[in-house]
Amino acid sequence: MLHILWRRRILVGVGVLLAVAVGILAGSHVQATTNGGSVSSLRMVLDTVDSQLVAAAPNGSATLPTRALLLAETMATDRATRAIGRRGHVARGQLTVLGPSSRKIPPVDTPLVSQVYLLASSASTPYVVSVFADQVTPIITIEAQAADGARSATLARAAGTTLRSQLLLEDGHRSDGFVLDTVAPVRTKHVVTHSHRRLMMLAGAVGTFGFWCVCIVLGVALHRRARSVTPRPV
C-alpha cells in the first residue's frame, strides 16, 4: 500500500491540501457555533428596615430566606419578564427569565457561571436572566447572559430594578418593612464555552486524508483488475 502511495505522491499531495482545507472548514464551523458570551452578576439581599445586621431580632427576620426565595420566583412570570425586557431594551420574545425552581443541579457541583450556561442551554432566546435564591440566606443573585458585556450589564441592572418593583408589588399595600439592598455592584465576566475546535480540525483532516488514500489504493487495484480481465488481442 505504501509503495502505491509513494508512486502516486502527487495525488497524495493533493489529498494533503484537501485534508487541510477540510480541517480548517470544520474548525471554523465549530468556532462559530461555540463562542461564549458575557455574564453579568448582581447580588441583592432582602432585609428588614431595622436591619438584621444591627438589630438583635428585628421583626420578620426569621422569614427573610423564604421571602427572598418566593420573591425570586416572581421574576419568572410573564409580567416581570416583560418589565425586564423593557428596561433592558430587549425585544419581546428575545428574553428568557429562569427562577430558582428552574435550577435542577446542586449549587455546590459547579461554579455559578457554569450553572448559568447549563440553564441557558435549554433556552431558545439570545438573552437569558437567571435568578438564584435558597431558603438558607436572604441573598438573591441575578445572572444576565448576553453576547457582550455592555448588554449583559444593562440586563442585570434592569433585572435588579424589576426585582425591587416586584417587592413593592407584592408587599406595597401591606408592607412589613422589607427592603432590597445591593450587596455588590454589577460584575461582568466574559466566558468562552468549551470548544472542540482543534479536535474537530484534526479529525476532519485525518479522516479526509485517510479516505483520499484509500480511494487512491482502491482506484489502482480496480484499474489493475480491469486490465487483467481485459482480453488481449490475438
Side-chain angles (χ1 to χ4, degrees):
M1 178 177 177
L2 292 179
H3 72 278
I4 294 176
L5 296 176
W6 176 251
R7 293 180 62 181
R8 290 160 181 82
R9 50 186 176 273
I10 295 180
L11 286 177
V12 174
V14 173
V16 171
L17 296 178
L18 179 62
V20 171
V22 171
I24 293 175
L25 287 176
S28 63
H29 174 72
V30 173
Q31 181 69 18
T33 56
T34 58
N35 278 340
S38 293
V39 174
S40 294
S41 60
L42 176 64
R43 300 186 70 192
M44 308 182 77
V45 59
L46 183 65
D47 203 353
T48 57
V49 174
D50 296 326
S51 176
Q52 63 173 333
L53 300 179
V54 297
N59 184 34
S61 61
T63 64
L64 284 176
T66 301
R67 287 177 180 271
L69 179 63
L70 296 175
L71 179 62
E73 288 287 2
T74 66
M75 293 287 281
T77 61
D78 292 339
R79 180 171 183 170
T81 300
R82 290 194 299 269
I84 295 172
R86 184 175 62 255
R87 293 185 173 105
H89 309 292
V90 176
R92 180 173 296 184
Q94 299 295 302
L95 172 65
T96 298
V97 179
L98 303 172
S101 61
S102 300
R103 184 171 54 174
K104 303 300 183 183
I105 50 180
V108 296
D109 281 357
T110 56
L112 188 56
V113 170
S114 300
Q115 294 184 42
V116 172
Y117 273 95
L118 288 175
L119 292 174
S121 63
S122 62
S124 58
T125 56
Y127 301 96
V128 180
V129 171
S130 301
V131 186
F132 299 89
D134 53 47
Q135 292 183 314
V136 179
T137 65
I139 294 177
I140 300 175
T141 302
I142 297 172
E143 300 280 340
Q145 177 193 347
D148 60 83
R151 296 302 299 271
S152 64
T154 299
L155 200 56
R157 294 187 183 96
T161 302
T162 303
L163 186 62
R164 284 196 171 93
S165 298
Q166 288 295 108
L167 176 62
L168 295 176
L169 180 66
E170 295 294 323
D171 199 42
H173 300 294
R174 54 188 186 280
S175 176
D176 293 322
F178 294 98
V179 295
L180 270 172
D181 294 324
T182 300
V183 178
V186 174
R187 296 180 180 179
T188 300
K189 178 182 295 185
H190 181 71
V191 180
V192 178
T193 56
H194 184 65
S195 172
H196 296 286
R197 182 172 182 268
R198 292 184 180 179
L199 181 61
M200 289 299 296
M201 290 179 65
L202 180 62
V206 172
T208 302
F209 182 70
F211 178 75
W212 183 265
C213 291
V214 170
C215 288
I216 293 176
V217 174
L218 289 178
V220 172
L222 290 175
H223 179 68
R224 289 178 177 177
R225 182 175 180 181
R227 289 181 59 187
S228 64
V229 299
T230 301
R232 297 181 180 180
V234 179

